[in-house]
PDB file of all heavy atoms in Angstrom:
ATOM      1  N   ALA A   1       0.839  -1.203   0.000  1.00 97.00           N
ATOM      2  CA  ALA A   1       0.000   0.000   0.000  1.00 97.00           C
ATOM      3  C   ALA A   1       0.870   1.247   0.000  1.00 97.00           C
ATOM      4  O   ALA A   1       0.872   2.034  -0.959  1.00 97.00           O
ATOM      5  CB  ALA A   1      -0.932  -0.016   1.198  1.00 97.00           C
ATOM      6  N   ALA A   2       1.623   1.418   1.076  1.00 95.00           N
ATOM      7  CA  ALA A   2       2.434   2.632   1.215  1.00 95.00           C
ATOM      8  C   ALA A   2       3.583   2.656   0.217  1.00 95.00           C
ATOM      9  O   ALA A   2       3.968   3.724  -0.273  1.00 95.00           O
ATOM     10  CB  ALA A   2       2.991   2.727   2.632  1.00 95.00           C
ATOM     11  N   GLY A   3       4.151   1.480  -0.101  1.00 94.00           N
ATOM     12  CA  GLY A   3       5.312   1.424  -0.978  1.00 94.00           C
ATOM     13  C   GLY A   3       4.949   1.434  -2.446  1.00 94.00           C
ATOM     14  O   GLY A   3       5.168   2.408  -3.165  1.00 94.00           O
ATOM     15  N   ARG A   4       4.341   0.350  -2.892  1.00 95.00           N
ATOM     16  CA  ARG A   4       4.092   0.189  -4.330  1.00 95.00           C
ATOM     17  C   ARG A   4       3.103   1.208  -4.876  1.00 95.00           C
ATOM     18  O   ARG A   4       3.228   1.673  -5.999  1.00 95.00           O
ATOM     19  CB  ARG A   4       3.593  -1.236  -4.597  1.00 95.00           C
ATOM     20  CG  ARG A   4       3.407  -1.555  -6.067  1.00 95.00           C
ATOM     21  CD  ARG A   4       3.078  -3.024  -6.253  1.00 95.00           C
ATOM     22  NE  ARG A   4       4.188  -3.870  -5.825  1.00 95.00           N
ATOM     23  CZ  ARG A   4       4.083  -5.179  -5.626  1.00 95.00           C
ATOM     24  NH1 ARG A   4       2.916  -5.779  -5.798  1.00 95.00           N
ATOM     25  NH2 ARG A   4       5.132  -5.885  -5.258  1.00 95.00           N
ATOM     26  N   ALA A   5       2.117   1.588  -4.074  1.00 97.00           N
ATOM     27  CA  ALA A   5       1.036   2.442  -4.591  1.00 97.00           C
ATOM     28  C   ALA A   5       1.141   3.899  -4.148  1.00 97.00           C
ATOM     29  O   ALA A   5       0.179   4.650  -4.288  1.00 97.00           O
ATOM     30  CB  ALA A   5      -0.309   1.856  -4.166  1.00 97.00           C
ATOM     31  N   PHE A   6       2.305   4.309  -3.649  1.00 97.00           N
ATOM     32  CA  PHE A   6       2.392   5.650  -3.065  1.00 97.00           C
ATOM     33  C   PHE A   6       1.991   6.753  -4.049  1.00 97.00           C
ATOM     34  O   PHE A   6       1.255   7.682  -3.698  1.00 97.00           O
ATOM     35  CB  PHE A   6       3.801   5.943  -2.543  1.00 97.00           C
ATOM     36  CG  PHE A   6       3.936   7.325  -1.954  1.00 97.00           C
ATOM     37  CD1 PHE A   6       3.430   7.616  -0.699  1.00 97.00           C
ATOM     38  CD2 PHE A   6       4.534   8.357  -2.673  1.00 97.00           C
ATOM     39  CE1 PHE A   6       3.525   8.889  -0.172  1.00 97.00           C
ATOM     40  CE2 PHE A   6       4.630   9.637  -2.149  1.00 97.00           C
ATOM     41  CZ  PHE A   6       4.123   9.903  -0.889  1.00 97.00           C
ATOM     42  N   GLU A   7       2.457   6.679  -5.269  1.00 97.00           N
ATOM     43  CA  GLU A   7       2.153   7.747  -6.235  1.00 97.00           C
ATOM     44  C   GLU A   7       0.647   7.868  -6.465  1.00 97.00           C
ATOM     45  O   GLU A   7       0.107   8.983  -6.519  1.00 97.00           O
ATOM     46  CB  GLU A   7       2.850   7.471  -7.569  1.00 97.00           C
ATOM     47  CG  GLU A   7       2.567   8.543  -8.613  1.00 97.00           C
ATOM     48  CD  GLU A   7       2.831   8.084 -10.033  1.00 97.00           C
ATOM     49  OE1 GLU A   7       3.395   6.991 -10.225  1.00 97.00           O
ATOM     50  OE2 GLU A   7       2.457   8.830 -10.959  1.00 97.00           O
ATOM     51  N   ILE A   8      -0.030   6.728  -6.582  1.00 98.00           N
ATOM     52  CA  ILE A   8      -1.482   6.746  -6.811  1.00 98.00           C
ATOM     53  C   ILE A   8      -2.203   7.292  -5.574  1.00 98.00           C
ATOM     54  O   ILE A   8      -3.155   8.071  -5.683  1.00 98.00           O
ATOM     55  CB  ILE A   8      -1.995   5.325  -7.135  1.00 98.00           C
ATOM     56  CG1 ILE A   8      -1.141   4.670  -8.236  1.00 98.00           C
ATOM     57  CG2 ILE A   8      -3.464   5.372  -7.532  1.00 98.00           C
ATOM     58  CD1 ILE A   8      -1.036   5.442  -9.520  1.00 98.00           C
ATOM     59  N   ILE A   9      -1.743   6.873  -4.401  1.00 98.00           N
ATOM     60  CA  ILE A   9      -2.348   7.376  -3.161  1.00 98.00           C
ATOM     61  C   ILE A   9      -2.164   8.888  -3.060  1.00 98.00           C
ATOM     62  O   ILE A   9      -3.094   9.624  -2.726  1.00 98.00           O
ATOM     63  CB  ILE A   9      -1.757   6.653  -1.938  1.00 98.00           C
ATOM     64  CG1 ILE A   9      -2.259   5.200  -1.905  1.00 98.00           C
ATOM     65  CG2 ILE A   9      -2.106   7.373  -0.643  1.00 98.00           C
ATOM     66  CD1 ILE A   9      -1.583   4.326  -0.879  1.00 98.00           C
ATOM     67  N   ARG A  10      -0.967   9.355  -3.378  1.00 98.00           N
ATOM     68  CA  ARG A  10      -0.694  10.801  -3.306  1.00 98.00           C
ATOM     69  C   ARG A  10      -1.561  11.589  -4.286  1.00 98.00           C
ATOM     70  O   ARG A  10      -2.208  12.578  -3.921  1.00 98.00           O
ATOM     71  CB  ARG A  10       0.781  11.076  -3.592  1.00 98.00           C
ATOM     72  CG  ARG A  10       1.137  12.555  -3.557  1.00 98.00           C
ATOM     73  CD  ARG A  10       2.521  12.803  -4.146  1.00 98.00           C
ATOM     74  NE  ARG A  10       2.903  14.207  -4.040  1.00 98.00           N
ATOM     75  CZ  ARG A  10       2.584  15.145  -4.936  1.00 98.00           C
ATOM     76  NH1 ARG A  10       1.844  14.828  -5.997  1.00 98.00           N
ATOM     77  NH2 ARG A  10       2.973  16.392  -4.768  1.00 98.00           N
ATOM     78  N   ASN A  11      -1.554  11.165  -5.556  1.00 98.00           N
ATOM     79  CA  ASN A  11      -2.179  11.973  -6.607  1.00 98.00           C
ATOM     80  C   ASN A  11      -3.679  11.722  -6.781  1.00 98.00           C
ATOM     81  O   ASN A  11      -4.444  12.663  -6.990  1.00 98.00           O
ATOM     82  CB  ASN A  11      -1.466  11.737  -7.941  1.00 98.00           C
ATOM     83  CG  ASN A  11      -0.059  12.314  -7.950  1.00 98.00           C
ATOM     84  OD1 ASN A  11       0.228  13.251  -7.210  1.00 98.00           O
ATOM     85  ND2 ASN A  11       0.814  11.764  -8.767  1.00 98.00           N
ATOM     86  N   SER A  12      -4.102  10.459  -6.715  1.00 98.00           N
ATOM     87  CA  SER A  12      -5.512  10.141  -6.970  1.00 98.00           C
ATOM     88  C   SER A  12      -6.379  10.218  -5.717  1.00 98.00           C
ATOM     89  O   SER A  12      -7.573  10.497  -5.803  1.00 98.00           O
ATOM     90  CB  SER A  12      -5.630   8.738  -7.587  1.00 98.00           C
ATOM     91  OG  SER A  12      -4.975   8.690  -8.837  1.00 98.00           O
ATOM     92  N   ILE A  13      -5.773   9.952  -4.553  1.00 98.00           N
ATOM     93  CA  ILE A  13      -6.544   9.966  -3.306  1.00 98.00           C
ATOM     94  C   ILE A  13      -6.253  11.221  -2.483  1.00 98.00           C
ATOM     95  O   ILE A  13      -7.167  11.954  -2.110  1.00 98.00           O
ATOM     96  CB  ILE A  13      -6.245   8.694  -2.477  1.00 98.00           C
ATOM     97  CG1 ILE A  13      -6.716   7.449  -3.245  1.00 98.00           C
ATOM     98  CG2 ILE A  13      -6.910   8.774  -1.105  1.00 98.00           C
ATOM     99  CD1 ILE A  13      -6.320   6.132  -2.608  1.00 98.00           C
ATOM    100  N   GLY A  14      -4.966  11.499  -2.227  1.00 98.00           N
ATOM    101  CA  GLY A  14      -4.610  12.659  -1.415  1.00 98.00           C
ATOM    102  C   GLY A  14      -4.955  13.979  -2.081  1.00 98.00           C
ATOM    103  O   GLY A  14      -5.638  14.836  -1.499  1.00 98.00           O
ATOM    104  N   TYR A  15      -4.516  14.158  -3.312  1.00 98.00           N
ATOM    105  CA  TYR A  15      -4.703  15.427  -4.028  1.00 98.00           C
ATOM    106  C   TYR A  15      -6.179  15.747  -4.254  1.00 98.00           C
ATOM    107  O   TYR A  15      -6.602  16.907  -4.175  1.00 98.00           O
ATOM    108  CB  TYR A  15      -3.961  15.376  -5.359  1.00 98.00           C
ATOM    109  CG  TYR A  15      -4.046  16.648  -6.168  1.00 98.00           C
ATOM    110  CD1 TYR A  15      -3.460  17.830  -5.718  1.00 98.00           C
ATOM    111  CD2 TYR A  15      -4.729  16.671  -7.388  1.00 98.00           C
ATOM    112  CE1 TYR A  15      -3.545  18.999  -6.464  1.00 98.00           C
ATOM    113  CE2 TYR A  15      -4.813  17.831  -8.141  1.00 98.00           C
ATOM    114  CZ  TYR A  15      -4.225  18.990  -7.674  1.00 98.00           C
ATOM    115  OH  TYR A  15      -4.309  20.150  -8.408  1.00 98.00           O
ATOM    116  N   THR A  16      -6.981  14.695  -4.510  1.00 98.00           N
ATOM    117  CA  THR A  16      -8.412  14.914  -4.765  1.00 98.00           C
ATOM    118  C   THR A  16      -9.240  14.914  -3.483  1.00 98.00           C
ATOM    119  O   THR A  16     -10.428  15.251  -3.517  1.00 98.00           O
ATOM    120  CB  THR A  16      -8.970  13.816  -5.695  1.00 98.00           C
ATOM    121  OG1 THR A  16      -8.895  12.549  -5.019  1.00 98.00           O
ATOM    122  CG2 THR A  16      -8.188  13.739  -7.004  1.00 98.00           C
ATOM    123  N   GLY A  17      -8.616  14.498  -2.360  1.00 98.00           N
ATOM    124  CA  GLY A  17      -9.367  14.399  -1.106  1.00 98.00           C
ATOM    125  C   GLY A  17     -10.390  13.274  -1.133  1.00 98.00           C
ATOM    126  O   GLY A  17     -11.404  13.327  -0.441  1.00 98.00           O
ATOM    127  N   ALA A  18     -10.120  12.235  -1.911  1.00 98.00           N
ATOM    128  CA  ALA A  18     -11.073  11.138  -2.081  1.00 98.00           C
ATOM    129  C   ALA A  18     -11.313  10.410  -0.761  1.00 98.00           C
ATOM    130  O   ALA A  18     -10.408  10.235   0.055  1.00 98.00           O
ATOM    131  CB  ALA A  18     -10.565  10.156  -3.134  1.00 98.00           C
ATOM    132  N   ASN A  19     -12.531   9.952  -0.578  1.00 98.00           N
ATOM    133  CA  ASN A  19     -12.953   9.309   0.669  1.00 98.00           C
ATOM    134  C   ASN A  19     -12.536   7.835   0.683  1.00 98.00           C
ATOM    135  O   ASN A  19     -13.377   6.932   0.764  1.00 98.00           O
ATOM    136  CB  ASN A  19     -14.462   9.460   0.831  1.00 98.00           C
ATOM    137  CG  ASN A  19     -14.904   9.345   2.275  1.00 98.00           C
ATOM    138  OD1 ASN A  19     -14.085   9.287   3.186  1.00 98.00           O
ATOM    139  ND2 ASN A  19     -16.214   9.320   2.486  1.00 98.00           N
ATOM    140  N   VAL A  20     -11.226   7.603   0.620  1.00 98.00           N
ATOM    141  CA  VAL A  20     -10.665   6.255   0.604  1.00 98.00           C
ATOM    142  C   VAL A  20      -9.918   5.998   1.909  1.00 98.00           C
ATOM    143  O   VAL A  20      -9.130   6.836   2.355  1.00 98.00           O
ATOM    144  CB  VAL A  20      -9.708   6.053  -0.594  1.00 98.00           C
ATOM    145  CG1 VAL A  20      -9.070   4.666  -0.538  1.00 98.00           C
ATOM    146  CG2 VAL A  20     -10.437   6.257  -1.914  1.00 98.00           C
ATOM    147  N   LYS A  21     -10.172   4.852   2.500  1.00 98.00           N
ATOM    148  CA  LYS A  21      -9.463   4.432   3.704  1.00 98.00           C
ATOM    149  C   LYS A  21      -8.471   3.342   3.298  1.00 98.00           C
ATOM    150  O   LYS A  21      -8.864   2.244   2.890  1.00 98.00           O
ATOM    151  CB  LYS A  21     -10.438   3.899   4.757  1.00 98.00           C
ATOM    152  CG  LYS A  21     -11.732   4.727   4.893  1.00 98.00           C
ATOM    153  CD  LYS A  21     -11.513   6.217   5.122  1.00 98.00           C
ATOM    154  CE  LYS A  21     -12.837   6.975   5.008  1.00 98.00           C
ATOM    155  NZ  LYS A  21     -12.670   8.433   5.122  1.00 98.00           N
ATOM    156  N   ILE A  22      -7.190   3.688   3.365  1.00 98.00           N
ATOM    157  CA  ILE A  22      -6.116   2.759   2.993  1.00 98.00           C
ATOM    158  C   ILE A  22      -5.854   1.889   4.213  1.00 98.00           C
ATOM    159  O   ILE A  22      -5.161   2.292   5.146  1.00 98.00           O
ATOM    160  CB  ILE A  22      -4.863   3.541   2.565  1.00 98.00           C
ATOM    161  CG1 ILE A  22      -5.193   4.461   1.388  1.00 98.00           C
ATOM    162  CG2 ILE A  22      -3.708   2.602   2.219  1.00 98.00           C
ATOM    163  CD1 ILE A  22      -4.529   5.808   1.470  1.00 98.00           C
ATOM    164  N   CYS A  23      -6.458   0.709   4.240  1.00 98.00           N
ATOM    165  CA  CYS A  23      -6.405  -0.162   5.415  1.00 98.00           C
ATOM    166  C   CYS A  23      -5.287  -1.182   5.215  1.00 98.00           C
ATOM    167  O   CYS A  23      -5.473  -2.201   4.545  1.00 98.00           O
ATOM    168  CB  CYS A  23      -7.755  -0.821   5.642  1.00 98.00           C
ATOM    169  SG  CYS A  23      -9.066   0.392   5.938  1.00 98.00           S
ATOM    170  N   ALA A  24      -4.128  -0.868   5.784  1.00 97.00           N
ATOM    171  CA  ALA A  24      -2.900  -1.609   5.502  1.00 97.00           C
ATOM    172  C   ALA A  24      -2.552  -2.528   6.658  1.00 97.00           C
ATOM    173  O   ALA A  24      -2.336  -2.079   7.783  1.00 97.00           O
ATOM    174  CB  ALA A  24      -1.764  -0.627   5.237  1.00 97.00           C
ATOM    175  N   SER A  25      -2.468  -3.809   6.376  1.00 97.00           N
ATOM    176  CA  SER A  25      -2.161  -4.785   7.416  1.00 97.00           C
ATOM    177  C   SER A  25      -0.712  -5.262   7.294  1.00 97.00           C
ATOM    178  O   SER A  25       0.016  -4.875   6.382  1.00 97.00           O
ATOM    179  CB  SER A  25      -3.115  -5.987   7.324  1.00 97.00           C
ATOM    180  OG  SER A  25      -2.770  -6.814   6.238  1.00 97.00           O
ATOM    181  N   HIS A  26      -0.309  -6.127   8.248  1.00 96.00           N
ATOM    182  CA  HIS A  26       1.025  -6.748   8.218  1.00 96.00           C
ATOM    183  C   HIS A  26       2.133  -5.690   8.206  1.00 96.00           C
ATOM    184  O   HIS A  26       3.089  -5.770   7.432  1.00 96.00           O
ATOM    185  CB  HIS A  26       1.162  -7.686   7.025  1.00 96.00           C
ATOM    186  CG  HIS A  26       0.306  -8.920   7.134  1.00 96.00           C
ATOM    187  ND1 HIS A  26      -1.069  -8.855   7.196  1.00 96.00           N
ATOM    188  CD2 HIS A  26       0.637 -10.232   7.196  1.00 96.00           C
ATOM    189  CE1 HIS A  26      -1.556 -10.090   7.289  1.00 96.00           C
ATOM    190  NE2 HIS A  26      -0.549 -10.946   7.303  1.00 96.00           N
ATOM    191  N   ALA A  27       1.992  -4.695   9.069  1.00 94.00           N
ATOM    192  CA  ALA A  27       3.003  -3.642   9.163  1.00 94.00           C
ATOM    193  C   ALA A  27       4.031  -3.994  10.228  1.00 94.00           C
ATOM    194  O   ALA A  27       3.745  -4.720  11.182  1.00 94.00           O
ATOM    195  CB  ALA A  27       2.326  -2.312   9.509  1.00 94.00           C
ATOM    196  N   GLY A  28       5.260  -3.491  10.072  1.00 95.00           N
ATOM    197  CA  GLY A  28       6.276  -3.598  11.103  1.00 95.00           C
ATOM    198  C   GLY A  28       7.008  -4.923  11.157  1.00 95.00           C
ATOM    199  O   GLY A  28       6.808  -5.830  10.351  1.00 95.00           O
ATOM    200  N   ILE A  29       7.870  -5.044  12.170  1.00 95.00           N
ATOM    201  CA  ILE A  29       8.779  -6.188  12.312  1.00 95.00           C
ATOM    202  C   ILE A  29       8.038  -7.473  12.652  1.00 95.00           C
ATOM    203  O   ILE A  29       8.517  -8.579  12.368  1.00 95.00           O
ATOM    204  CB  ILE A  29       9.853  -5.883  13.388  1.00 95.00           C
ATOM    205  CG1 ILE A  29      11.054  -6.842  13.275  1.00 95.00           C
ATOM    206  CG2 ILE A  29       9.270  -5.946  14.796  1.00 95.00           C
ATOM    207  CD1 ILE A  29      12.019  -6.481  12.199  1.00 95.00           C
ATOM    208  N   THR A  30       6.831  -7.373  13.259  1.00 94.00           N
ATOM    209  CA  THR A  30       6.113  -8.574  13.688  1.00 94.00           C
ATOM    210  C   THR A  30       5.457  -9.329  12.538  1.00 94.00           C
ATOM    211  O   THR A  30       4.791 -10.342  12.762  1.00 94.00           O
ATOM    212  CB  THR A  30       5.066  -8.251  14.772  1.00 94.00           C
ATOM    213  OG1 THR A  30       4.221  -7.186  14.328  1.00 94.00           O
ATOM    214  CG2 THR A  30       5.733  -7.867  16.077  1.00 94.00           C
ATOM    215  N   VAL A  31       5.648  -8.859  11.303  1.00 92.00           N
ATOM    216  CA  VAL A  31       5.314  -9.702  10.151  1.00 92.00           C
ATOM    217  C   VAL A  31       6.158 -10.977  10.225  1.00 92.00           C
ATOM    218  O   VAL A  31       5.771 -12.033   9.744  1.00 92.00           O
ATOM    219  CB  VAL A  31       5.559  -8.937   8.831  1.00 92.00           C
ATOM    220  CG1 VAL A  31       5.360  -9.836   7.621  1.00 92.00           C
ATOM    221  CG2 VAL A  31       4.600  -7.755   8.735  1.00 92.00           C
ATOM    222  N   GLY A  32       7.330 -10.847  10.870  1.00 91.00           N
ATOM    223  CA  GLY A  32       8.120 -12.024  11.229  1.00 91.00           C
ATOM    224  C   GLY A  32       8.770 -12.752  10.084  1.00 91.00           C
ATOM    225  O   GLY A  32       9.632 -12.219   9.390  1.00 91.00           O
ATOM    226  N   GLU A  33       8.335 -14.000   9.852  1.00 92.00           N
ATOM    227  CA  GLU A  33       9.006 -14.888   8.905  1.00 92.00           C
ATOM    228  C   GLU A  33       8.947 -14.400   7.466  1.00 92.00           C
ATOM    229  O   GLU A  33       9.729 -14.868   6.622  1.00 92.00           O
ATOM    230  CB  GLU A  33       8.405 -16.299   9.003  1.00 92.00           C
ATOM    231  CG  GLU A  33       8.701 -17.029  10.301  1.00 92.00           C
ATOM    232  CD  GLU A  33       7.718 -16.717  11.422  1.00 92.00           C
ATOM    233  OE1 GLU A  33       6.935 -15.753  11.272  1.00 92.00           O
ATOM    234  OE2 GLU A  33       7.753 -17.424  12.446  1.00 92.00           O
ATOM    235  N   ASP A  34       8.047 -13.491   7.127  1.00 90.00           N
ATOM    236  CA  ASP A  34       7.979 -12.971   5.759  1.00 90.00           C
ATOM    237  C   ASP A  34       9.218 -12.161   5.388  1.00 90.00           C
ATOM    238  O   ASP A  34       9.479 -11.922   4.209  1.00 90.00           O
ATOM    239  CB  ASP A  34       6.726 -12.104   5.569  1.00 90.00           C
ATOM    240  CG  ASP A  34       5.455 -12.943   5.510  1.00 90.00           C
ATOM    241  OD1 ASP A  34       5.567 -14.185   5.533  1.00 90.00           O
ATOM    242  OD2 ASP A  34       4.362 -12.366   5.445  1.00 90.00           O
ATOM    243  N   GLY A  35       9.959 -11.701   6.394  1.00 92.00           N
ATOM    244  CA  GLY A  35      11.268 -11.120   6.151  1.00 92.00           C
ATOM    245  C   GLY A  35      11.295  -9.657   5.747  1.00 92.00           C
ATOM    246  O   GLY A  35      10.269  -8.964   5.711  1.00 92.00           O
ATOM    247  N   ALA A  36      12.508  -9.194   5.419  1.00 93.00           N
ATOM    248  CA  ALA A  36      12.776  -7.769   5.197  1.00 93.00           C
ATOM    249  C   ALA A  36      11.940  -7.154   4.090  1.00 93.00           C
ATOM    250  O   ALA A  36      11.567  -5.985   4.155  1.00 93.00           O
ATOM    251  CB  ALA A  36      14.262  -7.573   4.901  1.00 93.00           C
ATOM    252  N   SER A  37      11.631  -7.925   3.063  1.00 93.00           N
ATOM    253  CA  SER A  37      10.878  -7.370   1.933  1.00 93.00           C
ATOM    254  C   SER A  37       9.452  -6.986   2.312  1.00 93.00           C
ATOM    255  O   SER A  37       8.836  -6.143   1.658  1.00 93.00           O
ATOM    256  CB  SER A  37      10.851  -8.367   0.771  1.00 93.00           C
ATOM    257  OG  SER A  37      10.164  -9.557   1.156  1.00 93.00           O
ATOM    258  N   HIS A  38       8.927  -7.606   3.382  1.00 94.00           N
ATOM    259  CA  HIS A  38       7.538  -7.365   3.781  1.00 94.00           C
ATOM    260  C   HIS A  38       7.415  -6.583   5.088  1.00 94.00           C
ATOM    261  O   HIS A  38       6.307  -6.192   5.466  1.00 94.00           O
ATOM    262  CB  HIS A  38       6.804  -8.697   3.946  1.00 94.00           C
ATOM    263  CG  HIS A  38       6.435  -9.356   2.656  1.00 94.00           C
ATOM    264  ND1 HIS A  38       7.355  -9.581   1.645  1.00 94.00           N
ATOM    265  CD2 HIS A  38       5.253  -9.849   2.205  1.00 94.00           C
ATOM    266  CE1 HIS A  38       6.751 -10.195   0.638  1.00 94.00           C
ATOM    267  NE2 HIS A  38       5.480 -10.359   0.947  1.00 94.00           N
ATOM    268  N   GLN A  39       8.518  -6.360   5.782  1.00 94.00           N
ATOM    269  CA  GLN A  39       8.484  -5.646   7.062  1.00 94.00           C
ATOM    270  C   GLN A  39       8.597  -4.139   6.792  1.00 94.00           C
ATOM    271  O   GLN A  39       9.650  -3.637   6.445  1.00 94.00           O
ATOM    272  CB  GLN A  39       9.628  -6.134   7.952  1.00 94.00           C
ATOM    273  CG  GLN A  39       9.460  -7.577   8.397  1.00 94.00           C
ATOM    274  CD  GLN A  39      10.735  -8.214   8.882  1.00 94.00           C
ATOM    275  OE1 GLN A  39      11.817  -7.644   8.739  1.00 94.00           O
ATOM    276  NE2 GLN A  39      10.650  -9.402   9.452  1.00 94.00           N
ATOM    277  N   THR A  40       7.478  -3.459   6.978  1.00 95.00           N
ATOM    278  CA  THR A  40       7.410  -2.040   6.615  1.00 95.00           C
ATOM    279  C   THR A  40       7.725  -1.137   7.799  1.00 95.00           C
ATOM    280  O   THR A  40       7.019  -1.164   8.798  1.00 95.00           O
ATOM    281  CB  THR A  40       5.985  -1.685   6.134  1.00 95.00           C
ATOM    282  OG1 THR A  40       5.437  -2.793   5.449  1.00 95.00           O
ATOM    283  CG2 THR A  40       6.012  -0.487   5.235  1.00 95.00           C
ATOM    284  N   PHE A  41       8.769  -0.320   7.663  1.00 96.00           N
ATOM    285  CA  PHE A  41       9.131   0.652   8.701  1.00 96.00           C
ATOM    286  C   PHE A  41       9.004   2.088   8.201  1.00 96.00           C
ATOM    287  O   PHE A  41       9.342   3.021   8.908  1.00 96.00           O
ATOM    288  CB  PHE A  41      10.574   0.428   9.169  1.00 96.00           C
ATOM    289  CG  PHE A  41      10.890  -1.005   9.485  1.00 96.00           C
ATOM    290  CD1 PHE A  41      11.925  -1.653   8.850  1.00 96.00           C
ATOM    291  CD2 PHE A  41      10.140  -1.700  10.421  1.00 96.00           C
ATOM    292  CE1 PHE A  41      12.217  -2.980   9.135  1.00 96.00           C
ATOM    293  CE2 PHE A  41      10.414  -3.021  10.712  1.00 96.00           C
ATOM    294  CZ  PHE A  41      11.460  -3.668  10.069  1.00 96.00           C
ATOM    295  N   GLU A  42       8.540   2.244   6.961  1.00 97.00           N
ATOM    296  CA  GLU A  42       8.512   3.561   6.325  1.00 97.00           C
ATOM    297  C   GLU A  42       7.105   4.107   6.114  1.00 97.00           C
ATOM    298  O   GLU A  42       6.930   5.262   5.714  1.00 97.00           O
ATOM    299  CB  GLU A  42       9.212   3.494   4.955  1.00 97.00           C
ATOM    300  CG  GLU A  42      10.568   2.803   4.950  1.00 97.00           C
ATOM    301  CD  GLU A  42      10.510   1.281   4.771  1.00 97.00           C
ATOM    302  OE1 GLU A  42       9.377   0.722   4.709  1.00 97.00           O
ATOM    303  OE2 GLU A  42      11.575   0.653   4.708  1.00 97.00           O
ATOM    304  N   ASP A  43       6.087   3.287   6.337  1.00 98.00           N
ATOM    305  CA  ASP A  43       4.734   3.643   5.901  1.00 98.00           C
ATOM    306  C   ASP A  43       4.138   4.846   6.625  1.00 98.00           C
ATOM    307  O   ASP A  43       3.531   5.718   5.994  1.00 98.00           O
ATOM    308  CB  ASP A  43       3.797   2.435   6.004  1.00 98.00           C
ATOM    309  CG  ASP A  43       3.740   1.816   7.393  1.00 98.00           C
ATOM    310  OD1 ASP A  43       4.787   1.742   8.062  1.00 98.00           O
ATOM    311  OD2 ASP A  43       2.648   1.393   7.813  1.00 98.00           O
ATOM    312  N   ILE A  44       4.319   4.916   7.942  1.00 98.00           N
ATOM    313  CA  ILE A  44       3.788   6.076   8.672  1.00 98.00           C
ATOM    314  C   ILE A  44       4.478   7.353   8.202  1.00 98.00           C
ATOM    315  O   ILE A  44       3.834   8.383   7.991  1.00 98.00           O
ATOM    316  CB  ILE A  44       3.950   5.883  10.197  1.00 98.00           C
ATOM    317  CG1 ILE A  44       3.016   4.765  10.688  1.00 98.00           C
ATOM    318  CG2 ILE A  44       3.655   7.184  10.952  1.00 98.00           C
ATOM    319  CD1 ILE A  44       3.217   4.375  12.142  1.00 98.00           C
ATOM    320  N   ALA A  45       5.797   7.270   8.018  1.00 98.00           N
ATOM    321  CA  ALA A  45       6.554   8.434   7.545  1.00 98.00           C
ATOM    322  C   ALA A  45       6.027   8.907   6.193  1.00 98.00           C
ATOM    323  O   ALA A  45       5.810  10.109   5.979  1.00 98.00           O
ATOM    324  CB  ALA A  45       8.039   8.080   7.443  1.00 98.00           C
ATOM    325  N   LEU A  46       5.804   7.973   5.280  1.00 98.00           N
ATOM    326  CA  LEU A  46       5.301   8.330   3.949  1.00 98.00           C
ATOM    327  C   LEU A  46       3.912   8.953   4.031  1.00 98.00           C
ATOM    328  O   LEU A  46       3.646  10.000   3.435  1.00 98.00           O
ATOM    329  CB  LEU A  46       5.256   7.089   3.055  1.00 98.00           C
ATOM    330  CG  LEU A  46       6.589   6.585   2.509  1.00 98.00           C
ATOM    331  CD1 LEU A  46       6.423   5.188   1.927  1.00 98.00           C
ATOM    332  CD2 LEU A  46       7.116   7.533   1.440  1.00 98.00           C
ATOM    333  N   MET A  47       3.027   8.321   4.789  1.00 98.00           N
ATOM    334  CA  MET A  47       1.641   8.786   4.823  1.00 98.00           C
ATOM    335  C   MET A  47       1.485  10.104   5.582  1.00 98.00           C
ATOM    336  O   MET A  47       0.599  10.909   5.274  1.00 98.00           O
ATOM    337  CB  MET A  47       0.736   7.707   5.418  1.00 98.00           C
ATOM    338  CG  MET A  47       0.603   6.498   4.521  1.00 98.00           C
ATOM    339  SD  MET A  47      -0.119   6.904   2.914  1.00 98.00           S
ATOM    340  CE  MET A  47       0.731   5.744   1.863  1.00 98.00           C
ATOM    341  N   ARG A  48       2.349  10.348   6.549  1.00 97.00           N
ATOM    342  CA  ARG A  48       2.315  11.642   7.252  1.00 97.00           C
ATOM    343  C   ARG A  48       2.599  12.801   6.308  1.00 97.00           C
ATOM    344  O   ARG A  48       2.136  13.919   6.537  1.00 97.00           O
ATOM    345  CB  ARG A  48       3.368  11.676   8.368  1.00 97.00           C
ATOM    346  CG  ARG A  48       2.983  10.969   9.654  1.00 97.00           C
ATOM    347  CD  ARG A  48       4.102  11.099  10.688  1.00 97.00           C
ATOM    348  NE  ARG A  48       4.307  12.481  11.098  1.00 97.00           N
ATOM    349  CZ  ARG A  48       5.492  13.052  11.320  1.00 97.00           C
ATOM    350  NH1 ARG A  48       6.607  12.352  11.174  1.00 97.00           N
ATOM    351  NH2 ARG A  48       5.573  14.309  11.708  1.00 97.00           N
TER     352      ARG A  48
END
């Protein structure tokens, strides 16, 4: 959500003020065995 789709979220949702709730699961280190590629530590920073 925050990584792959950031440009669309910024321009199509943020810029237009669209009533979309980006409900992102499996955040942070506790994703565990899925490893570094899936452990998101940047998403809050991006969305802020």
